[in-house]
Each structure stands twice: as structure tokens, then as C-alpha cells.
């Protein structure tokens, strides 16, 4: 009898005890492993994680458009997305004209500017967009933000991908093919330095160049697309490559409107903590550029209520 009473008492006490906090898992979809999103996503994940009850992880993906789709259909909790792609997705315009809008996208933070690179073999004869005709160039894979941007850039110059031999490769494969002489060049949109470009330039010293994206075509591009801004890749960003004029868009960390406000507020607070600052400063060059004073610049979708609550408390929104 005493054993039965003890068992019942134990069960009652166990039922009355507070449950242990359940671990929350939160994923960040990035892009290919040799681009900038992948290392930046891992830095963000390390900065925002608060184990054991909050575990943030970064996963590879096909890039911005794929990340928008994954967030929208609930496959992942968040993703890194170019500001222009986010704008098209939420408004159902541009690259989303045929797909329809994705109105549930919400922002956690703006991160850093992403620069358009046109990487070419020096002997290719490519000195800008107007010299692409007849060349063999990769414009990135379907589902990438790079592909969407390149189509806009080409259109502003009166070109399209039928005016040259277009391929649709990830940046790492495209860089390898350029180095092997099987491609004349490739486009990449991302924060510099890119691992794939740095490795190519280092392997083919003096044989690789960055072509400028400048001139009247760019003036039309900027006039028609407010999310593009003029940019410059500094000299020696990559081994033996000169400085070059180009354009850029901002990278955004996005989530879905259905994510709990408490969770997103906690993530945002963790992202801008002193602990996170040390992690970001030890990471990729673009992770070091992620700062609270620019967290609201270039947003093309509304803030998530949880993120907005943090920024109001921090005095960044009046």
C-alpha cells in the first residue's frame, strides 16, 4: 500500500512540476557553399543561437528565389534574400509577375550590400555588358537572385540571354569552367570577397579580370529599379584584380508572418547582443559589416512584428 501511495504521489508531483523548456529550432536558408550567403548565414546562426532552448542553423539552398519559396511554403523558418527579389515577391512584380505575390514575407534585418560581379577571362574580349554578344557566359542557376538581377541588367542594356551563349551554373562550377577555358565569364551577386572568385583569381593569376557594369545602361537600370545602387569593388579585393565600378542590392534576413512574435523578437535581440557582435566580427568580411545602425536600410518588405518590437525598444524606430 505504501508503495502504491508513493507511486501516486510521485506521479502527481511530476505532473505539477514545470515542464522543461522545449528546444526551438530555427533554420536560415542561404545559397551555394562557395557564395557569400553560406558563410554569412552560418555566422548569423552562431550569433543568434542560445542553446539549449534556441538552436539556429544555416542550410545551403539555390539562393534568393528558392529561399522566398521555402519561407512561403513553410519548408524553412527564414532565409537570406536579395532586396530586389523580396520586393518582387511581396508585390507580385518582376520575377514574380507570373508566379503571383508572396504577401507573408517579413523582415528581421537588412544585412549588407550585395555587389554584382562580372568575372571574365582577360583574353575573352569582354570589357562590359555591351561586349557580351556571342560570348559563352554563365548567369547562375534557376531560382537564384543573381539570375533575376542579370536579366534586369541585360534588359537595361538592350540585351537578353539569347544574344550570347548563356549557361546556368552555380558560381563554384562556373569559376572552375572559366579557369579551365570552357567559359568566357560568369555573373555573381553577393558580398565580397566571394570564395569562388578568390580561388579562381589566385589559381589563374593575371588571367582573370572583373568587367565594369557602368555607363548609360546602368543609368537606365538605376532609374527603373530603386533597389539598385552604384557600387565599387576595391582594388585587391581579389588577387591582382583592379577596382571596378558596378551596382549592388542589399541582403535581407527574412522570415514568415506566421512565426511567433516572441521568437522573432528574441532572435533579433540575440543578433544585436555583444555576444553576437564578437561572433560576427570573427566571421566573413560581410558578416563584420552587419550593424544595427543599418538594420533598417533598404528593407523592401515589412518588418516582422517581433523584430519591430525589438527595434522600438532599442530606439531604432521612434
Amino acid at each position: 500500500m505504501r508503495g502504491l501511495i508513493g507511486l501516486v504521489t510521485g506521479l502527481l508531483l511530476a505532473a505539477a512540476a514545470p515542464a522543461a523548456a522545449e528546444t526551438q529550432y530555427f533554420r536560415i536558408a542561404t545559397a551555394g557553399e562557395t557564395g557569400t550567403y553560406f558563410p554569412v548565414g552560418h555566422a548569423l546562426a552562431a550569433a543568434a543561437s542560445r542553446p539549449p532552448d534556441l538552436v539556429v542553423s544555416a542550410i545551403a539552398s539555390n539562393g534568393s528565389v528558392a529561399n522566398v519559396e521555402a519561407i512561403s511554403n513553410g519548408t524553412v523558418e527564414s532565409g537570406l534574400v536579395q532586396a530586389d527579389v523580396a520586393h518582387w515577391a511581396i508585390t507580385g512584380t518582376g520575377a514574380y509577375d507570373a508566379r503571383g505575390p508572396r504577401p507573408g514575407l517579413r523582415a528581421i534585418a537588412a544585412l549588407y550590400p550585395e555587389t554584382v560581379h562580372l568575372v571574365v577571362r582577360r583574353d575573352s574580349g569582354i570589357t562590359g555588358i555591351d561586349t557580351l554578344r556571342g560570348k559563352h557566359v554563365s548567369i547562375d542557376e534557376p531560382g537564384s537572385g543573381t539570375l533575376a538581377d542579370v536579366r534586369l541588367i541585360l534588359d537595361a542594356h538592350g540585351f537578353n540571354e539569347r544574344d550570347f551563349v548563356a549557361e546556368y551554373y552555380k558560381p563554384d562550377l562556373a569559376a572552375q569552367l572559366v579557369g579551365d577555358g570552357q567559359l568566357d565569364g560568369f555573373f555573381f551577386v553577393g558580398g565580397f570577397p566571394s570564395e569562388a572568385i578568390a580561388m579562381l583569381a589566385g589559381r589563374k593569376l593575371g588571367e582573370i579580370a572583373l568587367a565594369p557594369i557602368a555607363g548609360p545602361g546602368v543609368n537606365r537600370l538605376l532609374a527603373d529599379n530603386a533597389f539598385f545602387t552604384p557600387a565599387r569593388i576595391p582594388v585587391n579585393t581579389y588577387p591582382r584584380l583592379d577596382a571596378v565600378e558596378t551596382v549592388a542590392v542589399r541582403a535581407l534576413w527574412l522570415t514568415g508572418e506566421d512565426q511567433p512574435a516572441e521568437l522573432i523578437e528574441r532572435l533579433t535581440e540575440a543578433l544585436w547582443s555583444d555576444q553576437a557582435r564578437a561572433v560576427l566580427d570573427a566571421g566573413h568580411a560581410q558578416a563584420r559589416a552587419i550593424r544595427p545602425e543599418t538594420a533598417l536600410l533598404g528593407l523592401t518588405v515589412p518588418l516582422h512584428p517581433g523584430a519591430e518590437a525589438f527595434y522600438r525598444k532599442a530606439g531604432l524606430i521612434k
Side-chain angles (χ1 to χ4, degrees), residues 123-145:
D123 61 2
S124 68
I126 299 174
T127 57
I129 301 297
D130 292 335
T131 59
L132 287 178
R133 197 174 301 277
K135 304 300 182 182
H136 196 178
V137 177
S138 175
I139 56 178
D140 215 317
E141 62 186 340
S144 70

Side-chain angles (χ1 to χ4, degrees), residues 173-255:
L173 177 56
Q176 179 182 328
L177 293 173
V178 168
D180 294 342
Q182 298 179 54
L183 279 178
D184 293 312
F186 69 97
F187 285 89
F188 168 76
V189 180
F192 53 74
S194 155
E195 179 184 350
I197 299 172
M199 290 178 64
L200 173 63
R203 182 164 67 93
K204 296 288 183 177
L205 283 175
E207 299 179 29
I208 304 299
L210 292 172
I213 300 175
V218 165
N219 294 338
R220 289 189 291 271
L221 178 76
L222 299 177
D224 293 341
N225 303 278
F227 37 75
F228 278 111
T229 59
R232 180 179 176 85
I233 301 174
V235 64
N236 293 328
T237 297
Y238 301 102
R240 292 195 187 175
L241 297 195
D242 295 332
V244 68
E245 301 301 319
T246 183
V247 293
V249 297
R250 291 196 75 80
L252 309 180
W253 186 9
L254 302 186
T255 188

Side-chain angles (χ1 to χ4, degrees), residues 61-302:
S61 78
N62 282 356
S64 289
V65 175
N67 294 349
V68 165
E69 294 306 295
I71 294 168
S72 298
N73 64 32
T75 305
V76 297
E77 292 75 32
S78 73
L80 303 186
V81 178
Q82 291 172 197
D84 49 351
V85 174
H87 168 75
W88 298 325
I90 202 161
T91 59
T93 59
Y96 274 79
D97 187 38
R99 298 170 185 259
R102 301 294 186 266
L105 293 176
R106 296 294 182 267
I108 297 173
L111 302 176
Y112 58 88
E114 297 192 89
T115 309
V116 181
H117 298 63
L118 175 50
V119 185
V120 301
R121 290 175 34 241
R122 284 191 185 275
D123 61 2
S124 68
I126 299 174
T127 57
I129 301 297
D130 292 335
T131 59
L132 287 178
R133 197 174 301 277
K135 304 300 182 182
H136 196 178
V137 177
S138 175
I139 56 178
D140 215 317
E141 62 186 340
S144 70
T146 294
L147 178 57
D149 279 347
V150 170
R151 285 173 171 162
L152 281 180
I153 293 167
L154 292 173
D155 183 67
H157 286 78
F159 275 64
N160 62 55
E161 57 216 87
R162 294 184 298 278
D163 292 321
F164 55 94
V165 182
E167 301 287 0
Y168 304 87
Y169 299 129
K170 285 179 176 287
D172 53 346
L173 177 56
Q176 179 182 328
L177 293 173
V178 168
D180 294 342
Q182 298 179 54
L183 279 178
D184 293 312
F186 69 97
F187 285 89
F188 168 76
V189 180
F192 53 74
S194 155
E195 179 184 350
I197 299 172
M199 290 178 64
L200 173 63
R203 182 164 67 93
K204 296 288 183 177
L205 283 175
E207 299 179 29
I208 304 299
L210 292 172
I213 300 175
V218 165
N219 294 338
R220 289 189 291 271
L221 178 76
L222 299 177
D224 293 341
N225 303 278
F227 37 75
F228 278 111
T229 59
R232 180 179 176 85
I233 301 174
V235 64
N236 293 328
T237 297
Y238 301 102
R240 292 195 187 175
L241 297 195
D242 295 332
V244 68
E245 301 301 319
T246 183
V247 293
V249 297
R250 291 196 75 80
L252 309 180
W253 186 9
L254 302 186
T255 188
E257 64 180 352
D258 56 346
Q259 291 297 319
E262 298 82 1
L263 171 61
I264 301 302
E265 182 175 357
R266 185 180 178 205
L267 274 170
T268 311
E269 181 178 12
L271 172 63
W272 303 122
S273 67
D274 290 342
Q275 176 183 339
R277 182 76 265 151
V279 174
L280 293 173
D281 286 345
H284 188 278
Q286 296 300 334
R288 297 195 289 275
I290 298 172
R291 298 281 171 179
E293 55 267 28
T294 58
L296 304 177
L297 295 181
L299 293 178
T300 52
V301 303

Side-chain angles (χ1 to χ4, degrees), residues 272 292 308-318:
W272 303 122
E308 182 177 353
F310 169 79
Y311 291 123
R312 287 193 182 279
K313 290 176 183 177
L316 294 173
I317 297 178
K318 303 301 182 184

